Amino acid sequence: MTTWQLQDAKNRFSAVVDAALTGEPQEVTRRGKPVVVVVAFEEYQRLCQTEKAAAPNFIEHLLAIPKGGPDDLFERIPLKPRDLEL
C-alpha cells in the first residue's frame, strides 16, 4: 500500500485515484497519522457486502439477548405490579 501525505495526495489526486483503480489501496496521512484509505469503488462495494453479510439480522440480534439463566451476567430485579385505583 502506498502512503501519501495529505498535501501530496491533494496535489496529485489523479495519481492517487489511478493507483487505487489498479487495485492498490492508497493510504493518506495527516500529521504523520493514517486518516483515510482510497480504494476503487468496486472494492468498496465488496467490503460493504462482506460486512453486511457478517452482521446479524434483527431477529438474530433479539435472540442473542441474555435470557436470565444461571449464566446471565445481569441481576434481575423482581418487579411487583403496583396497586391501581380506578
Side-chain angles (χ1 to χ4, degrees), residues 1 4 6 9-10 15 24 26 28 31 35 37-38 42-43 48 50 60 66 73 77 81:
M1 179 172 356
W4 300 79
L6 179 59
K10 289 182 348 185
E24 184 183 354
Q26 304 295 300
V28 180
R31 297 182 193 100
V35 289
V37 175
V38 179
E42 290 80 18
E43 177 66 7
C48 288
T50 301
E60 291 169 342
L73 300 175
I77 300 171

Side-chain angles (χ1 to χ4, degrees), residues 45-85:
Q45 284 183 315
R46 186 189 68 76
L47 292 170
C48 288
Q49 290 300 321
T50 301
E51 182 179 300
K52 193 181 290 185
N57 64 32
F58 185 66
I59 293 172
E60 291 169 342
H61 177 70
L62 289 177
L63 291 173
I65 294 174
K67 309 290 187 286
D71 296 333
D72 192 0
L73 300 175
F74 302 101
E75 180 182 338
R76 301 288 177 186
I77 300 171
L79 298 176
K80 169 176 118 174
R82 63 184 176 152
D83 294 333
L84 181 64
E85 203 175 300

